[in-house]
């Protein structure tokens, strides 16, 4: 088991009721609006093929079903092998509701039995697939974009979180811990790296500890790097992914006089070869020190260039000028301000569109920066009326340019 049941329940609620409420009252098919002499008309893309990740299986299943049906598309889902049983349960539940409301039973289908890369690629390249929604590992996203079909992919997250000198440190600490402990650190849009201005670092570390974080000592960091990193993968060992901080701490012999909610590793080096500088799907954060605001901005960009480009960046600050600079500089699709990452990216703590498929734009090698919703699964046709007044002006201009 990875993650925890209460937080997965909340994810299911966001993916169902939260997304549903964002769709209510909007037209997913046919006439949309008229602007000037142009009417916009939404038409379905056909059959959408969606990948279901191991980290968010049921919530992604529900989310992709809602946005596909809203835009009048059929849907075929391919769950990660470790999620086959729970996805089948969710699929049968959804199918019963679909039938009860008079829709075709098989408008939503899913691949049953073990899935391999060849089978997935066969689906993705099938002539009747209109669009691919790729939520999963980097290799699957790459395969989607290489399939020859239109695709929306989601890259990894590695959100740098800049704690500036003007930040409300207690609020920032609470946001970080609320977010990075959510579902035991599995959310790609949560914080992955803290960048803290030197002038407030000591006070911020105190605030983190007061809210349940363990700031690891050099000896504890050494044990973590020795026992917690798989040298062949150069990544955190798979059995640590999505596990509670208290359990990881217990295995490593890390103790505090309070329940440990989050592990903090202080490090100076931003290194593309180190797991500490990349996405970390467990309740653990790297902490880098910034000499000043300029250094913090540069470190945030550097981290996103290693991993997580285009996904998310976060800043805690009261300085609007600095917040604006951060937004301008970050190669990220979502720049959250004074918000917990996991809750902000999906629209729970912000006004972003509720979504479980978060585009990374060309920053991250994907096709959109949107929080993907039903609009991304529509072909928008434009009914454009003849406007004789303007064509007359054009013809007059052409005649005037003709040689005598």
């Amino acid at each position: 088991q990875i993650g925890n049941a209460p937080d997965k329940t909340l994810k299911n609620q966001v993916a169902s009721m939260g997304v549903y409420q964002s769709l209510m009252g909007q037209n997913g098919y046919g006439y949309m609006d008229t602007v000037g002499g142009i009417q916009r008309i939404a038409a379905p893309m056909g059959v959408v093929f969606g990948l279901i990740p191991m980290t968010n299986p049921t919530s992604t299943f529900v989310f992709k079903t809602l946005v596909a049906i809203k835009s009048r598309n059929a849907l075929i889902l391919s769950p990660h092998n470790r999620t086959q049983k729970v996805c089948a349960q969710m699929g049968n539940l959804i199918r019963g509701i679909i039938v009860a409301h008079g829709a075709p039973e098989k408008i939503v289908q899913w691949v049953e039995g073990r899935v391999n890369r060849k089978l997935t690629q066969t689906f993705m390249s099938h002539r009747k697939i209109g669009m691919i929604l790729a939520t999963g590992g980097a290799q699957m996203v790459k395969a989607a974009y290489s399939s020859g079909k239109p695709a929306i992919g989601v890259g990894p997250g590695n959100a740098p979180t800049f704690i500036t000198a003007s930040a409300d440190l207690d609020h920032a600490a609470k946001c970080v811990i609320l977010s990075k402990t959510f579902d035991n650190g599995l959310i790609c849009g949560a914080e992955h790296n803290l960048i803290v201005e030197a002038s407030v670092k000591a006070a911020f570390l105190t605030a983190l500890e007061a809210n349940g974080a363990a700031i690891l000592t050099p000896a504890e960091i050494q044990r973590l790097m020795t026992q917690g990193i798989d040298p062949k993968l150069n990544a955190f060992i798979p059995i640590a992914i999505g596990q509670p901080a208290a359990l990881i701490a217990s295995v490593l012999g890390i103790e505090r006089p309070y329940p440990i909610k989050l592990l903090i590793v202080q490090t100076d080096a931003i290194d593309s070869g180190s797991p500490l500088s990349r996405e970390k799907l467990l309740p653990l954060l790297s902490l880098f020190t910034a000499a000043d605001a300029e250094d913090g901005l540069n470190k945030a960009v550097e981290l996103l260039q290693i991993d997580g480009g285009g996904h998310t960046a976060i800043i805690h600050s009261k300085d609007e000028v600095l917040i604006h600079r951060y937004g301008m500089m970050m190669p990220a699709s979502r720049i959250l301000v004074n918000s917990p990452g996991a809750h902000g990216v999906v629209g729970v703590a912000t006004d972003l569109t509720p979504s479980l498929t978060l585009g990374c734009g060309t920053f991250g090698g994907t096709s959109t920066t949107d929080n993907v919703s039903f609009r991304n699964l529509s072909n928008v046709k434009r009914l454009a009326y003849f406007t004789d007044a303007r064509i007359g002006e054009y013809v007059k201009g052409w005649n005037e340019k003709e040689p005598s």
Side-chain angles (χ1 to χ4, degrees):
Q1 176 182 319
I2 61 174
N4 63 74
D7 291 342
K8 289 196 183 300
T9 299
L10 178 57
K11 282 198 286 190
N12 286 336
Q13 291 170 339
V14 172
S16 55
M17 293 309 299
V19 171
Y20 170 73
Q21 288 168 2
S22 75
L23 306 180
M24 287 175 58
Q26 300 194 60
N27 193 355
Y29 173 74
Y31 174 78
M32 295 169 60
D33 55 31
T34 300
V35 179
I38 299 173
Q39 290 184 11
R40 295 196 307 158
I41 300 169
M45 290 183 167
V47 180
V48 174
F49 182 71
L51 301 176
I52 301 292
M54 177 179 66
T55 50
N56 307 300
T58 54
S59 52
T60 303
F61 199 120
V62 173
F63 163 73
K64 290 188 177 180
T65 296
L66 285 173
V67 295
I69 290 178
K70 178 68 175 179
S71 47
R72 298 287 185 96
N73 293 291
L75 180 66
I76 299 174
L77 293 170
S78 179
H80 188 282
N81 284 322
R82 289 180 61 183
T83 70
Q84 287 281 335
K85 289 184 179 180
V86 71
C87 283
Q89 289 179 314
M90 178 60 73
N92 287 320
L93 175 64
I94 288 173
R95 185 168 282 175
I97 295 169
I98 287 171
V99 171
H101 285 78
E105 178 185 4
K106 294 193 176 180
I107 197 169
V108 175
Q109 301 180 40
W110 58 96
V111 180
E112 300 186 66
R114 187 166 184 82
V115 178
N116 56 44
R117 185 169 297 178
K118 183 178 179 180
L119 178 61
T120 300
Q121 289 176 330
T122 299
F123 271 105
M124 289 194 293
S125 60
H126 193 279
R127 63 184 179 85
K128 291 189 177 181
I129 294 295
M131 168 63 83
I132 301 168
L133 275 183
T135 309
Q139 291 303 313
M140 281 293 97
V141 173
K142 183 178 179 180
Y145 278 110
S146 302
S147 67
K149 295 289 184 177
I152 296 175
V154 179
N158 192 37
T161 304
F162 188 17
I163 311 298
T164 70
S166 67
D168 180 332
L169 300 180
D170 185 59
H171 172 77
K174 287 177 178 176
C175 284
V176 167
I177 291 175
L178 173 68
S179 170
K180 193 56 182 173
T181 60
F182 185 80
D183 208 21
N184 296 342
L186 287 175
I187 308 299
C188 54
E191 298 79 356
H192 291 271
N193 307 283
L194 299 173
I195 305 164
V196 187
E197 280 200 62
S199 62
V200 295
K201 177 180 174 180
F204 184 62
L205 291 177
T206 298
L208 286 171
E209 289 182 318
N211 285 281
I215 315 300
L216 302 194
T217 66
E220 290 169 339
I221 293 173
Q222 180 60 39
R223 291 205 296 277
L224 170 71
M225 301 305 289
T226 301
Q227 300 176 42
I229 303 295
D230 184 327
K232 293 182 179 179
L233 299 173
N234 192 28
F236 285 96
I237 55 177
I239 59 172
I241 302 302
Q243 300 305 311
L247 175 61
I248 297 170
S250 175
V251 171
L252 295 173
I254 297 170
E255 297 180 349
R256 295 293 186 272
Y258 52 82
I260 296 174
K261 298 179 181 179
L262 183 65
L263 304 175
I264 304 291
V265 179
Q266 297 185 75
T267 180
D268 294 324
I270 296 178
D271 177 6
S272 61
S274 170
L276 294 178
S277 295
R278 302 198 301 268
E279 183 182 59
K280 296 166 280 291
L281 298 180
L282 64 163
L284 180 147
L285 286 169
S286 302
L287 188 148
F288 303 89
T289 304
D292 51 28
E294 197 68 29
D295 186 38
L297 292 169
N298 292 331
K299 279 183 165 64
V301 171
E302 188 177 356
L303 284 161
L304 280 173
Q305 288 173 337
I306 290 173
D307 197 15
H311 201 294
T312 300
I314 304 165
I315 184 170
H316 286 270
S317 180
K318 297 175 185 175
D319 184 339
E320 288 297 331
V321 173
L322 183 57
I323 290 169
H324 181 72
R325 282 198 66 203
Y326 193 75
M328 291 293 290
M329 285 183 65
M330 290 308 106
S333 304
R334 283 152 294 278
I335 296 99
L336 307 184
V337 181
N338 300 324
S339 170
H343 304 75
V345 292
V346 297
V348 172
T350 64
D351 288 332
L352 290 171
T353 300
S355 176
L356 270 74
T357 298
L358 308 177
C360 298
T362 58
F363 306 118
T366 74
S367 58
T368 181
T369 58
D370 289 348
N371 275 25
V372 174
S373 190
F374 72 100
R375 289 290 182 219
N376 301 89
L377 301 182
S378 294
N379 289 304
V380 178
K381 302 187 290 186
R382 290 162 179 84
L383 191 64
Y385 285 81
F386 172 65
T387 52
D388 61 335
R390 285 190 296 175
I391 196 67
E393 293 174 6
Y394 293 143
V395 170
K396 180 182 177 182
W398 296 333
N399 289 336
E400 290 173 350
K401 292 178 183 179
E402 288 181 357
S404 57

